Amino acid sequence: MIDHPLHVVVKFGSEIPGWAQGAAMMAFERKLREETGLNIEVFKDAKGDDSRLRSEMTSEQRARL
């Protein structure tokens, strides 16, 4: 992933389930966008953006968050 001024990278502990990670990332991204009005994207550290929910979304779906 290329460093970008509107990207946030989060790191989860090994015991946090994948489904909870994806939900938390989406909620965090949504909140950041609501508060700032910017097209901020949240990614997971190390493995990149591997949440199943996010990987199945189109660009248009992400833009509507």
Side-chain angles (χ1 to χ4, degrees):
M1 176 175 41
I2 298 172
D3 187 32
H4 188 278
L6 294 177
H7 287 178
V8 174
V9 180
V10 296
K11 184 173 183 178
F12 292 95
S14 62
E15 297 297 314
I16 301 172
W19 62 265
Q21 293 177 29
M25 290 169 51
M26 295 299 291
F28 187 38
E29 185 174 282
R30 185 178 303 111
K31 182 65 174 171
L32 286 169
R33 288 179 177 198
E34 288 172 0
E35 295 291 327
T36 66
L38 299 172
N39 189 27
I40 296 171
E41 295 180 313
V42 176
F43 295 92
K44 183 176 169 183
D45 187 34
K47 295 180 184 176
D49 190 10
D50 66 348
S51 107
R52 181 174 177 214
L53 177 62
R54 182 180 296 282
S55 67
E56 292 176 354
M57 292 177 74
T58 65
S59 297
E60 292 79 23
Q61 288 171 318
R62 284 183 64 98
R64 288 194 303 258
L65 288 177

